């Protein structure tokens, strides 16, 4: 949850608008967030370093798409995934991504942007983040969550957490 959240303020008079479009930000009131977290919203407030005085009235979460026309291009996982692999272009080991079509590893937009470059040059759309194990589609411009991605996510999870 925390990987996809961002805080935004909303005045008490404003209506809460909920965009139910998959892949879009969805607004939740504090009461709805409390219900979602079983009444324990303090962990969310701690994540955003929010005190009572500066807590927002609304939190947004990304809803990934459940389908993507590029899922047919995902290849089988070759002998696992090494979550500590360095970028093939610049050797950085920070927030790298792995291409789910050729399983090459490149750095993300906050380093050398080599995965974005790879996606455009190779025409490969779906990539998995080593940071939060999310999958992004460059063409759909959205996070994707689908059963077809389970093997790659499971392999990355095993590499990252050992179970």
């Amino acid at each position: 949850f925390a990987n996809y959240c961002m805080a935004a303020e909303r005045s008490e008079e404003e209506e809460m608008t909920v965009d139910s479009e998959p892949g879009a930000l969805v607004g939740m009131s504090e009461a709805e967030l409390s219900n979602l977290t079983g009444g324990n919203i303090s962990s969310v407030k701690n994540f955003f370093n929010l005190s009572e005085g500066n807590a927002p009235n609304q939190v947004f979460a990304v809803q990934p798409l459940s389908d993507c026309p590029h899922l047919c291009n995902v290849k089988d996982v070759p002998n696992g995934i090494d979550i500590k692999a360095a970028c093939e272009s610049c050797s950085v080991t920070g927030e790298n991504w792995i291409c789910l079509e050729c399983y090459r590893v490149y750095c993300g937009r906050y380093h050398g942007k080599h995965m974005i470059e790879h996606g455009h040059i190779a025409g490969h759309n779906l990539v998995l983040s080593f940071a939060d194990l999310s999958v992004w589609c460059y063409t759909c411009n959205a996070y994707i969550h689908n059963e077809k991605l389970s093997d790659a996510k499971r392999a990355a999870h095993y590499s990252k957490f050992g179970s």
Side-chain angles (χ1 to χ4, degrees), residues 74 93 104:
V74 173
T93 57
R104 298 184 72 177

Side-chain angles (χ1 to χ4, degrees), residues 21-77:
E21 194 66 31
L25 292 175
V26 177
M28 288 180 273
S29 68
E30 189 167 315
E32 291 168 313
L33 183 59
S34 178
N35 187 38
L36 179 69
T37 60
N40 182 11
I41 63 170
S42 63
S43 61
V44 175
K45 287 183 176 180
N46 287 340
F47 175 79
F48 291 116
N49 195 24
L50 301 172
S51 63
E52 290 303 317
N54 67 354
N57 294 324
Q58 189 172 15
V59 173
F60 292 90
V62 173
Q63 285 188 322
L65 296 173
S66 60
D67 198 19
C68 165
H70 308 101
L71 286 167
C72 60
N73 298 325
V74 173
K75 303 293 187 268
D76 291 337
V77 180

Side-chain angles (χ1 to χ4, degrees), residues 142-155:
Y143 288 102
I144 311 296
H145 182 69
N146 184 287
E147 182 64 31
K148 178 122 174 117
L149 305 169
S150 295
D151 288 343
K153 285 185 169 190
R154 198 173 3 265

